[in-house]
Structure formats: C-alpha cells, structure tokens
C-alpha cells in the first residue's frame, strides 16, 4: 500500500468509528440534556449490545442482522426497567448521587455479563464479505454498511426530534422542565422514552461494532471516556455538536493511527480535544437542547 | 361555583414552613387578585397548587375534582395552567413550537386561529425563537400557550414584571377577555396595583403564609386593609406594592 492508501484507509476507519461513537454519545447527550444525569453506565450499554449480538449469533445461531435488531431492543427494554427502579429516583438529586448510582450500575452490568457470558472475547463474522473500491483503496463492505446504517439512524433520530410530538417534548423539557410540566407535557413518559432511546442507540452501536471489534465484557469502559469527552466538547446537551465532534474525533483518531499505535492515537486524540474546553468552556458548539 | 378550592394548604421548602394553612376559593369566570408583601408566600402558593413544591399538605380541587397527589403535568391536563415568573417560554423553540407543545400535551386544545384572534401580535413572530422576543412579547406567547391548553383555571405570577407600560394595558385586556368572554377563572399575583384593581373582581391578602383578608377592590381601598397590610394607598400606588 502507498502512504496515501494508508491515510485514506485509516480516515475511513476513523469515520466509521466516529459514526458509531456518535450513536453512543447521542444517547448520553439526550439523557444528560433532559434529566441532568451523567450516565457512567452508558458504555456498558454499548458493551451489552455487542455481547448479546455475539451470543445470539454464536450460541443461538441467529443471523447477524436479526441479532443486531434484537440486541438493541433488549438493551432499550432493560433501560426502561432501569428508568423505573433507578433513574426516576436519581432525578433532581445532587450530581454526586447520579454519578455514584450509575457507577454502581456500570459495575453490576459488567459483572453480570462476566458471570453469564464469560470473560473471553467473542468474535462474529461480518455479514457482508468482500470489499469495495473507494478513493482508490479497497475497503471492507461491512464497515461501509455499518457507517451507512449509523447515518440513517442518526438522521431518523434527528427527524423524530424535529417532527414528532414526543420529539418536540424532548426538545422542550431540557429548556424549562417546570414549565413543560405546567404545560401538561407527560414528563415521566418523556424521561422513559429518552432513556430507552439512549439504550437503543448505544446497543445498536455495540451490535454494529461486533464484527469489527468483537465483544468483551470490558469494552464499555474503553468507550466511556471518548463518549463523555465528545458530549462535553460538543456542548453539553447539544445533539448536533455531539454528533459533529464524534465524527471529528473518529477522523482525527484515524489520521493519527497512521503514525502511531491505536492506543496512542486514542490518547493523543483525547489530548487534542480537551484544550477546546479551555478556549470554549461551553463546548465547541455551545450548550443547548 | 368555585373554580379552585384550596383548604388548609401547607407548603415547605426544606425545613422552611412557608404556607401555613391557606384557605382560598377562586370563583368561576372571575379574576381574583392575590396581594402580599415580598416573601408572603404568593409564588409558593401558586407552585403548591400546581404540585411543584417538594412538600405539600392540604387539599386543592378544581371544580370539585381533587388534584391532591397528582404531578404537575397531570394537574395541567386536568385544566389548570401556571404562568410562572421564572420560565415564560421555551427559549430555543420557535413561537409556533411553544404553542405546539401545549396543543400536543392536552386532550382538547384550542385551535390556533382562535388563539391568534385574541393575541394577534404574535402572528408575525411564529417562526422566531421565543427567547429572542422582548419580555412583553414573551408574556403574550406564554398567554397564547395557556390559551391553547384550553384551561378552565389560569394562575399568573407577575405577568407584567419587566414589560413596557403599553404592554401592561394589553395584558390586562387579554386577562379580561379570557375571564369574561371565554369563562377562564384567573388567580393573579401582581405587584402592579393599578392592573390588579382594574382587572380583578376580588382581592385577597396573603401574609406570612396565611390569607388574612380580602374583598372587592372598592372595599379593600375603603376599609384600610390595603394600607394596613401592604403599606400603600391606592391613589398613586401603581408599581409601589
């Protein structure tokens, strides 16, 4: 491969990863914006999506696309349950309470997965073999399909927020929660929907990542720091900013991977993004709903 | 018939016992003014009726239907609206979306045409973010949102605070139209005594978390309770409470 080919390949890898990260960070951003809960267990939802997909494919024998549909729905259902038993009770309390509660949740999910699914990494064959010619390089078809699906889901969430009744409620509540309640907006239902949507998108990112990264009970921890940094640098509660910074993050990480190991590229990318907060404390695109 | 009935209502912020047994009835289709010095508990009373205080005891009923134990959004859907001082509009939503939130949230919203027929000033601003409007325009948007909710009871907290004098008169006109033409009962907390006296059919005084008196604007001026409780006289008392 020529140097340009390596750069193009890594940039495409970075774009795919950035789009998956955008799916994860979107839910984190929605939950923070609406409920002011910093969900430290959000990376575990991504991991759960991946582990359930691998289990459904390898043990239950389901086709990949079926598993990738079911796993995020299971994660969303789990989040609906957690909304009742945990998030509702954390809502409106000090930030330390939500941090401790969701840190505990992270440990519970990760250890339950370790207990029931084991600690060995699991891999899943990509449902699409082969590759396509793109910008003069050969790139795996599945990764492009995963990126395309991520874009479609991000667009669908954007359209949902823009054009539906509950989308309107989800944009209104973070701006003035008490006013929304006094206007008759069903706050508990909006919270539950937001929590479930966050689980769905993180679980889907995990499912789509499985043929690329495999599945392992600790993979959620690795994604947690980038997810939070993307949400904060994008502007807390700013969905468009979060998605944009996730893609920038992916591209930068991909570019740096040309010259250094993936771990060093990850650390350097985070170091490059953090100074943004010194110059723009409200994030690159400002906080918003 | 009374639209809103409040019996022995107590309310707390943490350990502070703010409302100490409020009894109040707001007659249907009329504007009732709630007057009191700063810190008397006026805003706290409205929040307690709306179910937005951390701790509440006592009874609140809307046209005889109990609202006790229900969250604020359920109370709103039952037909009571609250225009607070703190949040008038959803600032980043357009004016049209501010109204749409109300239309989507309640079971029987009032049509937009009917709202614009009374509050036509906002027609030219429907696409603008509500947070970029002036204070007076934002109050009109808040009124339009409450009107869209098609409520039977409207509670307003200082609707003229920070708005221009001509807008004060306009808000007064709209309050009168809502009450007298559309049968909406209004509980109005307002420091502008000129407006309170011009739109309210009844006034009541809140002091240290209790209702301590009341009457028509004419009687509270004549019997000295206005001066005794608020420390002002009606003549030249505008903006002085």
């Amino acid at each position: 491969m020529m140097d340009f080919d390596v750069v193009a390949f890594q940039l495409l890898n970075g774009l795919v990863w950035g789009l998956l990260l955008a799916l994860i960070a979107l839910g984190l951003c929605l939950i923070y914006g609406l409920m002011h809960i910093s969900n430290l267990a959000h990376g575990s939802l991504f991991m759960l999506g991946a582990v359930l997909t691998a289990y459904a494919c390898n043990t239950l024998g389901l086709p990949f696309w079926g598993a990738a549909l079911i796993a995020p729905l299971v994660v969303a259902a789990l989040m609906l349950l957690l909304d009742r038993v945990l998030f509702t009770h954390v809502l409106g309390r000090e930030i330390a309470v939500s941090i401790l509660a969701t840190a505990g949740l992270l440990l519970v999910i990760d250890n339950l997965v370790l207990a029931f699914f084991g600690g060995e990494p699991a891999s899943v064959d990509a449902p699409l073999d082969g590759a396509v010619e793109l910008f003069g390089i050969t790139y795996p078809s599945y990764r492009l399909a995963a990126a395309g699906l991520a874009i479609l889901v991000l667009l669908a969430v954007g359209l949902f927020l823009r054009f539906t009744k509950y989308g309107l409620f989800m944009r209104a509540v973070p701006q003035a929660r008490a006013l929304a309640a006094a206007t008759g907006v069903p706050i508990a239902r909006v919270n539950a929907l937001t929590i479930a949507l966050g689980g769905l998108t993180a679980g889907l990112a995990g499912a789509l990542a499985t043929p690329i990264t495999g599945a392992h009970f600790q993979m959620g921890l690795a994604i947690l720091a980038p997810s939070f940094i993307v949400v904060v640098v994008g502007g807390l509660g700013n969905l468009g900013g979060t998605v944009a910074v996730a893609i920038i993050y992916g591209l930068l990480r991909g570019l740096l991977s040309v010259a250094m190991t993936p771990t060093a590229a990850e650390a350097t990318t985070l170091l490059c993004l953090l100074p943004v907060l010194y110059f723009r404390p409200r994030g690159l695109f400002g906080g918003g709903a | 018939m009374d639209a809103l009935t409040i019996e022995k209502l107590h309310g707390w912020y943490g350990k502070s016992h703010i409302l100490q047994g409020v009894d109040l009835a707001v007659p249907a289709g009329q504007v009732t003014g709630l007057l009191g010095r700063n810190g008397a508990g006026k805003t706290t009373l409205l929040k307690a009726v709306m179910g937005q205080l951390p701790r509440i005891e006592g009874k609140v009923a809307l046209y005889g239907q109990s609202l006790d134990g229900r969250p604020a959004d359920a109370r709103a859907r039952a037909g009571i609206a609250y225009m607070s001082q703190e949040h008038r509009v959803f600032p980043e939503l357009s004016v049209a979306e501010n109204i749409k939130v109300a239309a989507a949230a309640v079971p029987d919203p009032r049509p937009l045409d009917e709202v614009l027929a009374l509050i036509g000033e906002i027609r030219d601003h429907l696409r603008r973010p509500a947070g970029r409007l002036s204070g007076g325009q934002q109050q009109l948007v808040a009124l339009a949102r409450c009107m869209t909710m098609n409520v039977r009871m409207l509670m307003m907290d200082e609707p003229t605070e920070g708005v221009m004098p001509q807008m004060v008169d306009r808000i007064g006109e709209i309050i009168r139209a809502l009450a007298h033409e559309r049968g909406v009962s209004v509980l109005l907390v307002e420091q502008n005594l000129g407006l309170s006296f011009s739109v309210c059919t009844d006034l009541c005084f809140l002091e240290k978390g209790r209702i301590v008196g009341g009457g028509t604007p004419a009687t509270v001026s004549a019997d000295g309770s206005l001066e005794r409780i608020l420390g002002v006289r009606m003549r030249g008392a505008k903006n002085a409470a």
Side-chain angles (χ1 to χ4, degrees):
Chain A
M1 258 187 198
M2 289 175 63
D3 280 349
F4 170 79
D5 294 348
V6 175
V7 171
F9 194 89
Q10 291 296 357
L11 275 176
L12 278 173
N13 268 350
L15 179 66
V16 173
W17 186 237
L19 285 164
L20 294 181
L21 182 62
L23 278 181
I24 303 165
L26 179 79
L28 196 61
C29 182
L30 275 172
I31 293 170
Y32 181 82
L34 194 92
M35 302 169 81
H36 282 204
I37 291 174
S38 301
N39 182 20
L40 291 183
H42 209 74
S44 299
L45 306 177
F46 164 75
M47 176 274 292
L48 200 54
V51 169
L52 288 174
T53 302
Y55 179 78
C57 289
N58 299 339
T59 308
L60 303 180
L62 287 182
F64 172 78
W65 293 117
L69 180 70
I70 292 169
L73 290 174
V74 172
V75 179
L78 173 72
M79 284 297 273
L80 275 178
L81 179 69
L82 286 170
D83 175 53
R84 284 285 178 90
V85 300
L86 182 79
F87 291 111
T88 301
H89 303 285
V90 168
L91 191 66
R93 300 180 67 177
E94 294 159 39
I95 190 88
V97 175
S98 72
I99 287 174
L100 285 173
T102 57
L105 180 63
L106 178 156
L107 292 173
V108 169
I109 294 177
D110 286 11
N111 284 296
L112 280 176
V113 168
L114 175 64
F116 285 99
F117 298 96
E120 291 300 310
S123 60
V124 168
D125 291 335
L128 302 171
D129 353 315
V132 291
E133 286 284 324
L134 200 66
F135 308 123
I137 60 164
T138 307
Y139 197 76
S141 310
Y142 171 73
R143 293 188 182 202
L144 289 177
L149 262 175
I151 291 171
L152 281 179
V153 172
L154 289 169
L155 282 174
V157 172
L159 291 173
F160 170 79
L161 291 172
R162 181 74 184 81
F163 292 111
T164 68
K165 175 169 118 173
Y166 274 88
L168 180 63
F169 290 165
M170 284 166 70
R171 287 186 291 136
V173 173
Q175 296 179 39
R177 191 175 190 84
L179 173 60
T183 306
V185 172
I187 300 288
R189 207 176 297 169
V190 174
N191 288 346
L193 184 67
T194 304
I195 291 273
L197 187 60
L200 190 75
T201 52
L204 179 67
L208 292 177
T210 316
I212 303 171
T213 62
H216 184 252
F217 82 102
Q218 282 184 320
M219 67 193 284
L221 282 174
I223 198 71
L224 197 57
S227 305
F228 267 94
I229 286 170
V230 156
V231 170
V232 173
V233 174
L236 273 175
N238 185 329
L239 291 176
T242 295
V243 171
V245 173
I247 293 169
I248 292 169
Y249 171 90
L251 290 172
L252 194 56
R253 181 178 179 260
L255 199 61
L256 290 169
S257 297
V258 176
M260 51 184 82
T261 64
T263 310
E266 176 103 31
T268 312
T269 309
L270 294 177
L271 280 175
C272 289
L273 285 179
L274 281 177
V276 170
L277 294 176
Y278 180 79
F279 298 103
R280 295 182 67 88
R282 284 169 55 81
L284 211 51
F285 300 94
Chain B
M1 181 174 189
D2 292 326
L4 183 70
T5 318
I6 301 167
E7 288 177 48
K8 296 182 176 55
L9 191 66
H10 292 258
W12 288 262
Y13 271 120
K15 289 183 178 174
S16 302
H17 188 180
I18 310 291
L19 302 178
Q20 306 203 355
V22 174
D23 290 298
L24 179 67
V26 177
Q30 294 190 27
V31 184
T32 301
L34 182 64
L35 302 176
R37 291 176 186 267
N38 285 339
K42 304 184 295 291
T43 297
T44 307
L45 175 59
L46 301 194
K47 285 187 175 177
V49 171
M50 206 62 214
Q52 291 185 325
L53 269 197
R55 186 180 161 201
I56 307 162
E57 285 176 13
K59 292 182 178 176
V60 177
L62 182 67
Y63 285 92
Q65 181 190 8
S66 173
L67 299 178
D68 302 332
R70 298 167 79 173
D73 55 310
R75 293 180 191 219
R77 289 193 298 276
I80 186 165
Y82 171 38
M83 275 176 61
S84 79
Q85 265 179 298
E86 294 143 349
H87 300 291
R88 293 171 172 177
V89 293
F90 301 106
E92 289 169 35
L93 298 186
S94 69
V95 170
E97 285 176 324
N98 266 268
I99 294 169
K100 250 188 218 172
V101 171
V106 298
D108 182 27
R110 204 184 287 266
L112 180 63
D113 289 348
E114 205 179 311
V115 175
L116 293 178
L118 181 62
I119 311 174
E121 294 93 329
I122 62 170
R123 191 186 294 272
D124 293 338
H125 303 293
L126 286 173
R127 287 167 182 260
R128 289 184 67 192
R132 294 201 192 151
L133 302 180
S134 70
Q137 288 171 326
Q138 288 189 21
Q139 283 297 25
L140 294 183
V141 174
L143 275 164
R145 191 186 58 247
C146 293
M147 199 176 160
T148 301
M149 290 169 68
N150 207 0
V151 290
R152 295 177 289 173
M153 176 78 221
L154 172 60
M155 300 189 297
M156 309 173 84
D157 195 358
E158 308 283 3
T160 68
E161 190 191 32
V163 307
M164 294 168 67
Q166 58 268 41
M167 191 61 87
V168 173
D169 296 339
R170 179 69 182 118
I171 289 171
E173 270 176 35
I174 294 171
I175 293 171
R176 270 190 290 268
L178 283 174
H180 303 146
E181 295 165 22
R182 289 165 176 81
V184 177
S185 315
V186 179
L187 180 59
L188 175 68
V189 170
E190 180 54 64
Q191 299 272 16
N192 184 328
L193 290 181
L195 179 71
S196 292
F197 272 66
S198 72
V199 300
C200 294
T201 37
D202 286 303
L203 294 168
C204 52
F205 296 103
L206 190 70
E207 196 171 54
K208 294 178 182 169
R210 287 196 185 93
I211 298 291
V212 292
T216 64
T219 56
V220 300
S221 291
D223 68 10
S225 52
L226 185 67
E227 190 173 356
R228 192 179 68 252
I229 296 167
L230 296 185
V232 295
R233 292 181 184 188
M234 188 45 214
R235 184 187 292 273
K238 199 169 184 178
N239 288 323

